[in-house]
Amino acid sequence: MSRLMGLALPASILFILMMSGSRAIPTEATPVPFPNGGFETAPAGGQNDWTSLGGSNWAWDGSVAHTGAHSARVSRSSGGETASVWSAYISVQPSTVYTLTYWLRTQNATRCPSVMIYQYTSSQVQTGPWLMAYANTVSGTSNWMSVHYRFQTMPDADTIRVRLYLYTHTTGTFWFDDFSLDQGAPARYPFQSGFPVVASGSVRLSSPTVADIDHDGNNELLIGAGDAINGWDKTGTQLPGFPLSTGDRLIAHQMALADLNQDGHLEIVAGTRTPVANGQCRVFAWRDNGALLNGWPQNVAWNTQYSNNDCSITSVVLADIDGDHNLEILASTTNNASGNPQANIAVPNLYAWHTNGALVTGNWPNWQIAAGIYGAIAAGDLSGDGKADIVVGRDYLYLNAYASNGESLPGWPIQTYVNHNGGDYDTEQRIEYSINAPIIADLDGDGKMETIVAGHVKGPGEFPDVKLNSALLVLEPDGARRPGWEAAALGNGILTQVDTPLQAPAVADLNGDGQLEIVVATEDGWIRAYKVDKTFLWAFNYTQGATLFATEPVIGDIDEDGALEIVFGTYVPEITESNKDGPVGVWGLKSNGTVVTGFPLVIPTPGVRAAPTLADLDGDGKLEILAATRSGQIFVWNTSTPYNPASLPWPTGRHDLRRSATYIRLEPDFSRSRKFATPLVARQGERVTFTIQVASGAPTTYTVRLTDTIPGGISYVPGTLTATVGIVTDTAGVLQWSGLLSNTSTVNITYEVVVVTSATRLISNTVVIDTGNSGSLTQTGYLYANGFPIYLPLIELRRS
């Protein structure tokens, strides 16, 4: 593994906790019988032994063994993959944590051997995806090494088998010996039925996205994987028409969802990465059925002469930047001129389009010096004019904030040095933003939005061009440093110079003091929390002594204790193909930085790089935790915690489905919701229209529901129930609606009734609205049945 670079960690706060992954071993375990695990008898095949070591690649070796007298040897130098050797069927318990252990020796090895775990039901039907127990074999020859791989069994698992072989890219000789299996504790968070599933490619920085995209009243799960948008329903069944392929190299970053054209349907937006030889990368916008929106995809500019990497869309954000109450599509790209940075060559790399693909009026696309954008952008109202502004960090030491016209806001751009804005490049350490993800929030409730951003420290001067540390800043709307943050909050060095993490902060009121706290994972292997005045609260080391990085944190109540927890995943940097081991996991921390019982959740190496998501995928009213591994496996864990959007202040990567990275202190207020009849008076046999207006006062990121039971004296007219947004159903006089108010604050639901009573009476028609975070409320509409209109005399007032 790569070694720690930079400052040593203080002994007072250095602590290492056991975590999940391929090297962590449970402290309490029960051995499970593993037939012929040491290859002491020649494999005979059948239910109770390995399959025979047939073929020219495999041998039962009596000259080399870890213990005993024999091992299994396999070698490959060219041609196709080797034959596979399978273990016996080994009994396991469902929803339980196990550790597979084996010993491995190599000679002239190039890559890891394939050691795969398959799970089966009691009917011997495979359940769940296969798992790969990676060994950290380096190229060349190594003596016996112990490999430990932790995994969680499926809810319907009954047995497992282990498969050994060498893939076509792996050459050398490998000896296996002493396989064993240990049973740990039952999983506190079992998998949701139908999950995990496997995507069509690897997952980089695309968080699991949960939304009701097809308006059937059920949530779906989307993610960018490989070159496509993948989609599943709540049971893990692939959605019709998915994956949505781009034909480009891959979707590396977050996708975004919103109702762009205000037709009541959610659109899907994502950007691609394309090798230079294949031309420009693109931004795609699809309807919920997979059809492309008119005007999309859009190509972006690419400087083929001086760019030094691939064309990539590094973020997409949906925001109203011009105040027209329609969302615009924003995108950042890696377009750069680093090969000739002094030439002042235009390299457009920040775009703003209308929904139809036309560029927004103004300085769009724009650029600054020669640098591309390798992190993510944030969109929020810094200037207080009701329009979203855009904050972005480009490479080197520049941060900028743009208004709707594409011009810099007053005070921006800024150059950031460790101890102040502006300084001497050759004599002072600076904060750079080659990969960064700023966020926007009103930290203290004073009505002004701050920018919170993490970068890495370099310098002084240009050489050596290495990262020295991580740094966190809080900036006022004009770019000035917030009081208390004149000097950046620093980390404790850098773990590795390779595969830099995104370093995306998140905010929430962790301690209930009415102010937001900042949580950020940095490049030193620690995650920390700070108060708004920079007071340090706590730090947690998630590396267990290995070289690991962490995802952006998400924040919500996951254990039903009424307090907020911090959830994040870890991953092994892409240093070499064989360096894929490491104690990776999905962590849950209390608001004071201590570990939540039952965490870390077990995931396979090389781990999770995209932020997890907290949502109710299956609509059972309980919270689920979702995470996607870099190898493309999508995990969904059940919790017993009721789903309450009010307890999820930062529930997914970049805060919300628009990926705005902006925390707004808006609490939906449904008090203006109402119900009324038109006309107010009707006789027997006449029709009346009831209108229900659900008004939230602010967008919601969760589903609102209502139920309306038709009272006596009137009869519902079938087929007349409609809604401007969401799903309506009618069953035996019970009318229901559900929907999101993410892009509108008012929904109108209407239906017709017929007066069936001959009596003269006041009919009260009451609807129950389940607002989610604000509880339930009722609104009543009144109808006067068979009444008589009363005409009052007109009184004319005259001046004397």
Side-chain angles (χ1 to χ4, degrees), residues 203-211 213 220-225 228-232 242 244 251-258 266-272 283-284 286-287 313-318 330 610 652-654 656-660:
V203 176
R204 301 295 181 94
L205 287 166
S206 180
S207 295
T209 300
V210 176
I213 65 165
E220 285 78 40
L221 168 60
L222 303 181
I223 202 160
I229 299 295
N230 287 234
W232 301 269
F242 284 77
L244 306 179
I251 296 172
H253 296 268
Q254 298 282 8
M255 54 181 286
L257 266 69
L266 294 179
E267 280 73 47
I268 306 162
V269 181
T272 65
V283 175
F284 286 76
W286 295 273
R287 299 182 187 277
I313 305 296
T314 51
S315 69
V316 292
V317 173
L318 310 178
L330 315 175
T652 189
R654 309 304 287 155
D656 49 65
L657 298 187
R658 298 180 186 180
R659 312 303 175 188
S660 71

Side-chain angles (χ1 to χ4, degrees), residues 159-232:
T159 58
I160 67 165
R161 294 185 81 188
V162 178
R163 176 191 178 194
L164 315 177
Y165 71 102
L166 301 184
Y167 186 57
T168 53
H169 294 302
T170 303
T171 59
T173 303
F174 301 81
W175 290 265
F176 296 93
D177 204 357
D178 292 339
F179 279 81
S180 63
L181 186 69
D182 291 309
Q183 178 178 323
R188 190 179 183 92
Y189 298 92
F191 296 136
Q192 182 168 300
S193 178
F195 292 90
V197 294
V198 180
S200 62
S202 62
V203 176
R204 301 295 181 94
L205 287 166
S206 180
S207 295
T209 300
V210 176
D212 181 8
I213 65 165
D214 58 2
H215 295 272
D216 63 352
N218 297 307
N219 282 331
E220 285 78 40
L221 168 60
L222 303 181
I223 202 160
D227 71 342
I229 299 295
N230 287 234
W232 301 269

Side-chain angles (χ1 to χ4, degrees), residues 461-548:
E462 188 68 25
F463 300 104
D465 187 24
V466 296
K467 296 174 290 184
L468 304 174
N469 210 339
S470 296
L472 179 69
L473 284 176
V474 177
L475 305 167
E476 300 286 7
D478 61 357
R481 301 199 180 190
R482 180 181 173 83
W485 292 87
E486 291 83 2
L490 299 178
N492 291 290
I494 299 291
L495 289 180
T496 175
Q497 303 288 331
V498 182
D499 200 21
T500 304
L502 192 61
Q503 292 194 125
V507 296
D509 185 0
L510 298 179
N511 55 13
D513 65 353
Q515 295 188 335
L516 301 178
E517 283 71 49
I518 304 165
V519 181
V520 62
T522 49
E523 297 180 67
D524 56 0
W526 291 74
I527 185 168
R528 297 176 176 85
Y530 298 89
K531 292 178 67 68
V532 64
D533 62 0
K534 197 185 166 186
T535 299
F536 171 77
L537 294 177
W538 50 261
F540 175 79
N541 179 265
Y542 53 79
T543 65
Q544 198 182 338
T547 300
L548 300 177

